[in-house]
C-alpha cells in the first residue's frame, strides 16, 4: 500500500513539473478589474515627496500574479500602493484593462529581450520619452537573472505614480503621460504594471530555461533516490525481523522473578517488532519530509511551499532552542537547589544514624525514634525543596499549569482525608511508643506480634500465623495492651484459675499448684510463682496460679504446658479437679470441713427418723 502511494506521488510530481513549466512559459497576464475599494490587493501607503524628486526617469514594475484591479475610481494624486490579487472575485465578469489611445503621439517603446512591453509618451524636464524608455529597459535587465514572483507596488504621491518592485524603483508615471495616453493616472499606471509583470515573467523563464531544465533533471534524480531509499527500507526490515525471530531465545529470553515468568520471550519479540515498525514509519516520514522541500525548492513557483514545510520544523525547533537558552539560568538555580538538598539529606541521615546506633544521645530522645524522625525530616526537606523549585519550572506561571495544580490539590484533599488521618496517627504513635516491632500486643480484639510499623498502618501476626493490617487511626482510638514491655525487665505474669471443693485443705492445693509451676518451661524462677485464692463460692474455692515469664510470644504454649502439669500435680496429690455441687439432706452426710478441723471422736451422723403417733392412729381407724 505504501509503495503504491509513493509511486502515485512520484508520478504526480513528474507530471506536474512540465505542466507548470509549459503553463508558465505560454501564459499571458490575466487582466481583470475591480473597484479600488473592493480589491484586497490595493495597499495604500504614503510616499514622501522628497523621495520622488531624485527620480530622473519613470520606472515600471509588474504585479505578483498578473491580476490587476481597475483603479478608475481612484482620485488622481491620492496616496496608494497597488499590488496584484491572486484571482478575480468569483461570479464577477472581468472588465478589460484600459489601454492608452493617444492622438497623433508616437511613444518610445520599452524593450525587454527584443520585445516591446509598452510605450512611454511623455517627457520630463531632464529626459525625453526615448531616454526614459531606455532607462526603464536597463533597469529591467538585472531582474531576469532569477525567476521569482515578486509583487509590483504602485504608489501615488502628488499626482505622480511610482512603480516599485520590493524596494527598487522601476519607473514613474506623471500626469502628463496620462493626458497624452488619454487615460487617468491610475489607469495608465495599472496598465504599465500589468505589462511589466507579464514581460518580466516571460523574460525570466526564457532567460533561465537552461536552469529550469537542470532543476527538472535534479528533481527526477531526487525522486529516483527517494524510490531507491524506500525500496531499500522495505527490503531491509524483513531481514531484521527474520534475524530477531532467529535470535529470540538468545537475545530475548523470558524475564523471570524466581520461577515466575513475568514477560515471555514471545511478548518481548512482539514488542521489538512493534518498535521496529514504528522506527520504519518514522524513517519513511523523515525521508519524505526531507525530499519534498528539496524538490519544491528547485522551482520558483513552489519555493514558498518548500519554505512553509521547512518552517513547520525549524520554527518549533527554533522556539525550543530559544526557550532552552532562556531557561538555562533557571536550570542552574534548580541544579543548585537539588545539590544543596542532596547534601543536606546526607548530613541529616548521618546525624540520625548516629542517634540510632547510640553514638549520639539527647535527653528525652529515644533511640527508637531515630529512623521515623529521619523519615519525617527527610520528607519535610524534600517538600520544601519542591516548593522552592516550583517557580523555576518551565510553564509554572501559565494558567494551565496553575489550573492543573489546583485540580490535583483539591483532588488530593478530598480523596486522602482518611490517609492523612492515618499518617497523623502514625506520627503520634511513633512518639507515644506504645509498642515496638516484635512486641506481643493486643489491639482491640486482635492479639499477636507486631511485624511492621509505617505511617499509615501497623501489621500484626497472630499466634495462628494470620497477618492482620490495622490502620493507625484505629489503633489510636483503641486501647493497646503490650505484653512485652514489662516482660523484658520485670517479667510478664501469666495466670490461670482452678476451683477445688472445700473438703481439700488449701495448703495441699497450694503445694500442688506451685509444683506444677516449677515443672513448666519458659517460666522464671525469680520472682517465684504464687497462688491467690480469689473467691470462696458456695461449693468450692477458686485458686489462681501466677507464674512469671520473659517470653510473652510463647504465651499460648506456656499456658498449655502449665495446664498439663496442673493435672499431673493434682492427680499425684490425690486432689480431684472438680467443683462439687450439693443437693442433699444434711443428716447422714459427712461434714465438708477438712478432717484436721474435725474432732478426734467425730463420726458420720446417721439419718434420724421420728414417728408421728397421732397420724398413725388416724390412719388405722
Amino acid at each position: 500500500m505504501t509503495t503504491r502511494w509513493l509511486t502515485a506521488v512520484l508520478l504526480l510530481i513528474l507530471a506536474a513539473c512540465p505542466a507548470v513549466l509549459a503553463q508558465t512559459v505560454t501564459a499571458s497576464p490575466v487582466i481583470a478589474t475591480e473597484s479600488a475599494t473592493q480589491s484586497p490587493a490595493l495597499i495604500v501607503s504614503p510616499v514622501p515627496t522628497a523621495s520622488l524628486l531624485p527620480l530622473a526617469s519613470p520606472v515600471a514594475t509588474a504585479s505578483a500574479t498578473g491580476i490587476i484591479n481597475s483603479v478608475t475610481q481612484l482620485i488622481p494624486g491620492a496616496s496608494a500602493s497597488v499590488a496584484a490579487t491572486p484571482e478575480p472575485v468569483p461570479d464577477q465578469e472581468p472588465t478589460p484593462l484600459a489601454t492608452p489611445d493617444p492622438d497623433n503621439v508616437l511613444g518610445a517603446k520599452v524593450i525587454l529581450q527584443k520585445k516591446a512591453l509598452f510605450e512611454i509618451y511623455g517627457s520630463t524636464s531632464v529626459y525625453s520619452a526615448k531616454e526614459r524608455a531606455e532607462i526603464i529597459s536597463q533597469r529591467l535587465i538585472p531582474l531576469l537573472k532569477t525567476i521569482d514572483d515578486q509583487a509590483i507596488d504602485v504608489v501615488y504621491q502628488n499626482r505622480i505614480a511610482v512603480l516599485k518592485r520590493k524596494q527598487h524603483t522601476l519607473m514613474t508615471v506623471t500626469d502628463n503621460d496620462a493626458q497624452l495616453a488619454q487615460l487617468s493616472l491610475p489607469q495608465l499606471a495599472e496598465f504599465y504594471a500589468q505589462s511589466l509583470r507579464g514581460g518580466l515573467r516571460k523574460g525570466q523563464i526564457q532567460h533561465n530555461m537552461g536552469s529550469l531544465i537542470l532543476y527538472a533533471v535534479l528533481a527526477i534524480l531526487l525522486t529516483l533516490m527517494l524510490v531507491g531509499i524506500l525500496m531499500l527500507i522495505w527490503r531491509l526490515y524483513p531481514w531484521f525481523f527474520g534475524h530477531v525471530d532467529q535470535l529470540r531465545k538468545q537475545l530475548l529470553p523470558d524475564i523471570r522473578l524466581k520461577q515466575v515468568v513475568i514477560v515471555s520471550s514471545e511478548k518481548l519479540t512482539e514488542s521489538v517488532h512493534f518498535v521496529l515498525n514504528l522506527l520504519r514509519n518514522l524513517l519513511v516520514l523523515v525521508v519524505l519530509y526531507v525530499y519534498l522541500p528539496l524538490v519544491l525548492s528547485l522551482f520558483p513557483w513552489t519555493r514558498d511551499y518548500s519554505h512553509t514545510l521547512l518552517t513547520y520544523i525549524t520554527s518549533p525547533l527554533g522556539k525550543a532552542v530559544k526557550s532552552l537558552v532562556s531557561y538555562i539560568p533557571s536550570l542552574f538555580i534548580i541544579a543548585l537547589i537539588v545539590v544543596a538538598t542532596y547534601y543536606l539529606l546526607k548530613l541529616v541521615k548521618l546525624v540520625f544514624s548516629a542517634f540510632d546506633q547510640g553514638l549520639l544521645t539527647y535527653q528525652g530522645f529515644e533511640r527508637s525514634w531515630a529512623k521515623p524522625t529521619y523519615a519525617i525530616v527527610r520528607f519535610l526537606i524534600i517538600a520544601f525543596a519542591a516548593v522552592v523549585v516550583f517557580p523555576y519550572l518551565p510553564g509554572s506561571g501559565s494558567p494551565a499549569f496553575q489550573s492543573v495544580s489546583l485540580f490535583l490539590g483539591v483532588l488530593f484533599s478530598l480523596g486522602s482525608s482518611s490517609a492523612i488521618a492515618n499518617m497523623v496517627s502514625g506520627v503520634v504513635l511513633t512518639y507515644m511508643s506504645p509498642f515496638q516491632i516484635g512486641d506481643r500486643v493486643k489491639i482491640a480484639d486482635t492479639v499477636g506480634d507486631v511485624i511492621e510499623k509505617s505511617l499509615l498502618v501497623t501489621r500484626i501476626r497472630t499466634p495462628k500465623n494470620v497477618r492482620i493490617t490495622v490502620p493507625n487511626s484505629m489503633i489510636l482510638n483503641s486501647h493497646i495492651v503490650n505484653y512485652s514491655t514489662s516482660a523484658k525487665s520485670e517479667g510478664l505474669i501469666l495466670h490461670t484459675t482452678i476451683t477445688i471443693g472445700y473438703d481439700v485443705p488449701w495448703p495441699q492445693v497450694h503445694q500442688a499448684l506451685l509444683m506444677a509451676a516449677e515443672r513448666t518451661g519458659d517460666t522464671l524462677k525469680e520472682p517465684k510463682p504464687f497462688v491467690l485464692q480469689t473467691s470462696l463460692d458456695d461449693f468450692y474455692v477458686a485458686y489462681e496460679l501466677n507464674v512469671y515469664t520473659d517470653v510473652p510470644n510463647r504465651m499460648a504454649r506456656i499456658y498449655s504446658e502449665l495446664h498439663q502439669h496442673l493435672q499431673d500435680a493434682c492427680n499425684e496429690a490425690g486432689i480431684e479437679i472438680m467443683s462439687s455441687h450439693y443437693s442433699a439432706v444434711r443428716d447422714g452426710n459427712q461434714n465438708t470441713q477438712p478432717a484436721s478441723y474435725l474432732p478426734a471422736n467425730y463420726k458420720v451422723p446417721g439419718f434420724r427418723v421420728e414417728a408421728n403417733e397421732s397420724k398413725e392412729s388416724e390412719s388405722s381407724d
Side-chain angles (χ1 to χ4, degrees), residues 326-480:
S326 61
Y327 186 66
I328 288 178
S330 299
L331 188 63
F332 180 73
I333 295 175
I334 293 176
L336 289 179
I337 295 174
V338 170
V339 171
T341 303
Y342 173 75
Y343 284 103
L344 179 60
L345 289 175
K346 289 182 70 68
L347 177 61
V348 171
K349 184 178 181 180
L350 180 64
V351 171
F352 282 102
S353 297
F355 276 109
D356 185 49
Q357 297 172 5
L359 301 177
L360 288 178
T361 57
Y362 184 77
Q363 186 177 2
F365 189 87
E366 300 182 8
R367 290 178 58 181
S368 60
W369 295 353
K371 290 183 178 180
T373 305
Y374 166 70
I376 295 173
V377 173
R378 180 174 178 270
F379 172 78
L380 294 177
I381 291 175
I382 294 176
F384 178 76
V387 171
V388 175
V389 166
F390 180 81
Y392 297 99
L393 294 177
S396 59
S398 63
F401 198 96
Q402 294 174 355
S403 300
V404 171
S405 302
L406 180 62
F407 172 75
L408 293 178
V410 173
L411 188 65
F412 179 78
S413 61
L414 293 178
S416 61
S417 56
S418 59
I420 297 298
N422 286 328
M423 291 179 64
V424 174
S425 301
V427 173
V428 174
L429 290 174
T430 298
Y431 294 99
M432 284 177 55
S433 297
F435 50 79
Q436 302 296 330
I437 294 179
D439 288 355
R440 171 63 63 91
V441 297
K442 180 180 180 181
I443 300 174
D445 297 330
T446 303
V447 179
D449 301 329
V450 180
I451 59 175
E452 183 182 348
K453 291 172 58 179
S454 65
L455 287 178
L456 295 176
V457 298
T458 298
R459 289 184 172 84
I460 297 174
R461 183 175 57 216
T462 67
K464 301 301 182 182
N465 207 25
V466 177
R467 294 191 177 190
I468 300 177
T469 300
V470 185
N472 286 336
S473 59
M474 177 182 174
I475 297 175
L476 195 63
N477 294 326
S478 305
H479 64 278
I480 304 171

Side-chain angles (χ1 to χ4, degrees), residues 185-391:
L185 181 61
Q187 289 176 332
L188 183 60
E190 197 66 30
F191 172 76
Y192 285 160
Q194 286 283 16
S195 301
L196 286 173
R197 172 76 164 73
L200 284 174
R201 177 190 293 175
K202 294 180 180 180
Q204 288 175 345
I205 293 175
Q206 293 175 1
H207 188 270
N208 296 277
M209 183 59 68
S211 300
L212 290 175
I213 295 174
L214 178 61
Y215 294 155
V217 173
L218 288 176
I220 295 173
L221 292 177
L222 289 174
T223 304
L224 294 176
M225 289 178 60
L226 172 67
V227 174
I229 292 174
L230 294 179
M231 291 179 63
L232 181 63
I233 293 174
W234 249 254
R235 288 182 178 274
L236 285 178
Y237 264 80
W239 181 81
F240 278 123
F241 290 152
H243 276 265
V244 169
D245 293 336
Q246 292 177 4
L247 303 177
R248 183 181 65 186
K249 296 298 182 181
Q250 300 177 5
L251 300 179
L252 302 172
D254 295 338
I255 298 178
R256 297 176 176 269
L257 182 61
K258 295 182 178 179
Q259 300 299 325
V260 179
V261 177
I262 305 299
V263 182
S264 64
S265 177
E266 290 78 7
K267 293 293 184 182
L268 290 175
T269 304
E270 292 178 2
S271 301
V272 172
H273 284 183
F274 173 78
V275 173
L276 289 177
N277 282 321
L278 181 61
L279 292 177
R280 177 179 61 185
N281 296 333
L282 290 177
L283 183 59
V284 170
L285 290 177
V286 170
V287 171
L288 289 175
Y289 209 89
V290 172
Y291 163 79
L292 288 177
L294 285 177
V295 172
L296 295 177
S297 64
L298 295 177
F299 304 99
W301 309 281
T302 57
R303 282 173 185 161
D304 291 339
Y305 298 106
S306 173
H307 177 73
T308 302
L309 288 175
L310 290 177
T311 303
Y312 291 154
I313 296 296
T314 57
S315 180
L317 289 178
K319 292 180 180 179
V321 172
K322 186 182 296 184
S323 300
L324 181 61
V325 171
S326 61
Y327 186 66
I328 288 178
S330 299
L331 188 63
F332 180 73
I333 295 175
I334 293 176
L336 289 179
I337 295 174
V338 170
V339 171
T341 303
Y342 173 75
Y343 284 103
L344 179 60
L345 289 175
K346 289 182 70 68
L347 177 61
V348 171
K349 184 178 181 180
L350 180 64
V351 171
F352 282 102
S353 297
F355 276 109
D356 185 49
Q357 297 172 5
L359 301 177
L360 288 178
T361 57
Y362 184 77
Q363 186 177 2
F365 189 87
E366 300 182 8
R367 290 178 58 181
S368 60
W369 295 353
K371 290 183 178 180
T373 305
Y374 166 70
I376 295 173
V377 173
R378 180 174 178 270
F379 172 78
L380 294 177
I381 291 175
I382 294 176
F384 178 76
V387 171
V388 175
V389 166
F390 180 81

